[in-house]
Amino acid sequence: MIEAIRFILPELFIILFTLSFLMIAVFSNGKALIEYSNNISSLSLIVAALILIYGQATTTEPVMGGYYSSNDFTSFFKGLILILSALILHLSDDYLKKNNLQVFEFPILINFSIVGMMITISANDLLSLYIGIEMQALSLYILASFSRDNAKSTEAGLKYFILGSLSSGLLLYGISLVYGTTGSTQFDLIYETIMYTDTLLGLQVGMVFIISSIAFKFSAFPFHMWTPDVYEGAPTPVTAFMAIVPKLAIGAMFAKVLFDVFGGVAHNWQLILVFLSGGSMIIGAFGAIAQTNIKRMLAFSSIGHVGFALMGLAAVSPEGLSGFIIYLFLYSIMMVGIFAFIINMEKDGVLVTDIYLLAQYSEKRSGVSFALALILFSLAGIPPLAGFICKLYVFMAIINSGMIYLAVVGAIASVVGAFYYLRVVYIIYFMDREAKLDGRMPFTHLCILFVASVAIVIGTYNLLGVEPLTRAAAQSLIY
């Protein structure tokens, strides 16, 4: 048991910190910690990331009785989740104070959600996978409706809860079918059973249910319907968290389930991935065109980017899996940068989300406008920025796999999708209206925005040095 603890040190640290923080906050009535709760929790996540890098053991074999895994793949995603969550918690601080939402429960819910995501990523058993998913989802349901006096926030939480419960039901039903067919819930045992026996109908149906449930969590077509409403209604810091961190966790889990569980029947799920990818790219591109609320626009944008990322998985190759990981990594950096700005969109001290209020913003803040434009160009896939490079990886993988038709769909979606990103740039620089936004941003928020914009430029040269890590992660996942 003591030997096994080496593989779960970051998770244990976060759980112990969060429970201790909760007890202190409750017995002190929360007053002593409320003002600094987000930043304290943010520092704890940085410490957990350092523990992950320097203290956690890794192995190619399952651990904890076969229910858990700790390898290069899981370590890469867990480290990324911890660092990005720490940044988002810090970005949330000013917003929560201005909107009277600064309570100690906020970072506690975030931390429990992060633990659930880390369990999800490292799960080596369908039941531990389900526990991790539910742990992170239950926190997200509460966070989406965190602004209790706001009707849209309450609606967002309710919609997310109802549809999320449906997806959990699909997952459990799929797990039961897979277990009934193979006699096991552990990934490696299911994989071996599939490899040495004929593919049965129950297994195929169970696989479809599991993929459908994960596609819902990933905001992939045709299970994307909750995304725009929840992104718009949730408080902006929660939207930032949901748009970035769960995407990484669910993406990692999606790859693990496909390759570690159903890798032996890739020919059965490859066309499902093609359908999810193509549909997501089309819906994301055309759905965002009519949006004037920047959070709804980014919701449809995220659906489109999920489609592009899934091209990497649909390629069913180490090259495609590496491209999938690179895409999620660079996309998360771009989204952190853009949300560092959106959280501070104010008019006369009131937070707003209308893109037309950005008119002539460049006259007030030329540096901020330039950094924001760089990120928008990168999201649009304009060469030679990092957004173009990560698309190039998945396009090359899918072409090398012989599915040129999906690459054509992706190219069309990229051209259409460029419109709504470039429209925002046009509004910032050229729209003939008086600037409406106040233009104030805290120094640390400015730093995050500028670092993200610099990163997507430097990323065109060496992908910020993560390419060897992504290749190692991909290799550790594919048998």
Side-chain angles (χ1 to χ4, degrees):
M1 181 64 183
I2 295 175
E3 186 72 15
I5 289 176
R6 297 184 303 121
F7 300 104
I8 57 170
L9 284 176
E11 291 92 324
L12 279 179
F13 173 79
I14 297 174
I15 290 170
L16 291 173
F17 167 82
T18 306
L19 292 176
S20 302
F21 189 86
L22 176 61
M23 296 301 292
I24 293 169
V26 168
F27 285 107
S28 65
N29 295 322
K31 295 177 182 177
L33 295 174
I34 286 178
E35 189 175 354
Y36 306 104
S37 58
N38 287 323
N39 289 324
I40 291 172
S41 186
S42 181
L43 287 173
S44 76
L45 296 178
I46 297 295
V47 173
L50 293 174
I51 293 172
L52 175 74
I53 296 169
Y54 298 108
Q56 179 175 280
T58 58
T59 177
T60 56
E61 299 298 323
V63 296
M64 308 288 287
Y67 288 89
Y68 219 64
S69 59
S70 178
N71 51 40
D72 292 337
F73 180 84
T74 61
S75 296
F76 177 84
F77 274 98
K78 287 197 282 190
L80 197 55
I81 282 173
L82 289 170
I83 293 169
L84 292 174
S85 298
L87 290 175
I88 293 169
L89 269 174
H90 175 70
L91 288 173
S92 305
D93 202 45
D94 285 344
Y95 180 98
L96 296 174
K97 289 175 181 176
K98 289 176 183 176
N99 290 271
N100 297 319
L101 296 174
Q102 182 74 313
V103 292
F104 69 85
E105 290 90 348
F106 184 84
I108 287 172
L109 287 168
I110 292 284
N111 280 11
F112 279 128
S113 181
I114 291 167
V115 172
M117 292 175 201
M118 295 175 78
I119 293 172
T120 299
I121 292 169
S122 285
N124 197 61
D125 183 278
L126 290 174
L127 292 179
S128 54
L129 174 73
Y130 175 76
I131 291 169
I133 288 176
E134 287 307 295
M135 189 172 180
Q136 61 115 359
L138 289 172
S139 297
L140 290 176
Y141 299 151
I142 301 170
L143 287 168
S145 57
F146 205 72
S147 182
R148 293 180 297 176
D149 297 330
N150 186 310
K152 284 191 174 181
S153 179
T154 306
E155 179 187 353
L158 184 61
K159 284 182 177 178
Y160 193 28
F161 171 71
I162 292 172
L163 294 173
S165 300
L166 174 63
S167 106
S168 295
L170 293 176
L171 179 60
L172 277 177
Y173 187 57
I175 290 172
S176 68
L177 288 173
V178 172
Y179 173 73
T181 306
T182 64
S184 177
T185 56
Q186 292 192 357
F187 290 0
D188 49 342
L189 297 179
I190 296 172
Y191 183 90
E192 290 175 7
T193 303
I194 292 173
M195 288 296 292
Y196 298 110
T197 58
D198 294 331
T199 305
L200 302 174
L201 179 62
L203 176 69
Q204 293 178 334
V205 175
M207 179 183 68
V208 170
F209 273 105
I210 290 172
I211 290 175
S212 299
S213 175
I214 299 172
F216 172 90
K217 304 291 185 184
F218 207 30
S219 303
F221 170 86
F223 308 99
H224 63 283
M225 69 292 292
W226 61 273
T227 313
D229 289 340
V230 174
Y231 276 36
E232 180 187 10
T236 304
V238 177
T239 304
F241 183 75
M242 293 175 65
I244 300 167
V245 183
K247 284 282 191 297
L248 293 168
I250 299 301
M253 181 257 288
F254 210 166
K256 280 195 69 175
V257 168
L258 292 176
F259 287 96
D260 275 3
V261 184
F262 302 116
V265 287
H267 58 282
N268 285 341
W269 54 256
Q270 188 175 30
L271 285 179
I272 298 175
L273 267 289
V274 169
F275 172 73
L276 295 177
S277 174
S280 298
M281 289 187 290
I282 292 169
I283 290 295
F286 286 95
I289 290 176
Q291 307 304 322
T292 58
N293 183 301
I294 196 164
K295 292 205 289 184
R296 286 188 72 88
M297 187 192 83
L298 289 176
F300 280 103
S301 165
S302 74
I303 296 167
H305 284 288
V306 161
F308 286 109
L310 286 176
M311 276 203 291
L313 293 184
V316 194
S317 66
E319 177 192 9
L321 182 54
S322 178
F324 173 76
I325 298 170
I326 288 169
Y327 201 103
L328 291 181
F329 170 72
L330 293 176
Y331 173 73
S332 64
I333 290 175
M334 292 184 281
M335 292 300 285
V336 165
I338 203 166
F339 271 104
F341 174 80
I342 293 173
I343 284 176
N344 295 284
M345 282 180 62
E346 293 184 357
K347 177 187 176 185
D348 301 325
V350 178
L351 292 157
V352 293
T353 53
D354 189 343
I355 61 173
Y356 289 105
L357 295 176
L358 291 166
Q360 293 293 326
Y361 186 74
S362 59
E363 294 183 358
K364 281 187 175 181
R365 302 295 298 271
S366 57
V368 172
S369 298
F370 181 71
L372 185 61
L374 274 178
I375 295 174
L376 289 168
F377 280 133
S378 184
L379 284 168
I382 304 296
L385 298 173
F388 169 77
I389 301 299
C390 63
K391 282 186 178 178
L392 183 63
Y393 269 83
V394 293
F395 270 92
M396 291 303 296
I398 204 70
I399 290 171
N400 291 338
S401 295
M403 289 181 282
I404 299 175
Y405 59 91
L406 186 58
V408 172
V409 173
I412 294 171
S414 291
V415 173
V416 175
F419 167 78
Y420 54 84
Y421 293 119
L422 299 181
R423 176 179 61 179
V424 178
V425 176
Y426 168 80
I427 291 170
I428 291 172
Y429 280 93
F430 304 111
M431 178 162 277
D432 188 19
R433 291 185 187 177
E434 183 182 353
K436 300 291 185 181
L437 294 187
D438 297 343
R440 292 182 290 108
M441 285 183 71
F443 176 73
T444 52
H445 293 209
L446 280 172
C447 289
I448 293 171
L449 173 62
F450 284 120
V451 168
S453 62
V454 170
I456 62 173
V457 176
I458 297 175
T460 62
Y461 171 67
N462 66 350
L463 293 175
L464 304 176
V466 301
E467 187 174 12
L469 296 176
T470 62
R471 291 193 183 280
Q475 198 60 43
S476 69
L477 191 64
I478 295 181
Y479 287 98

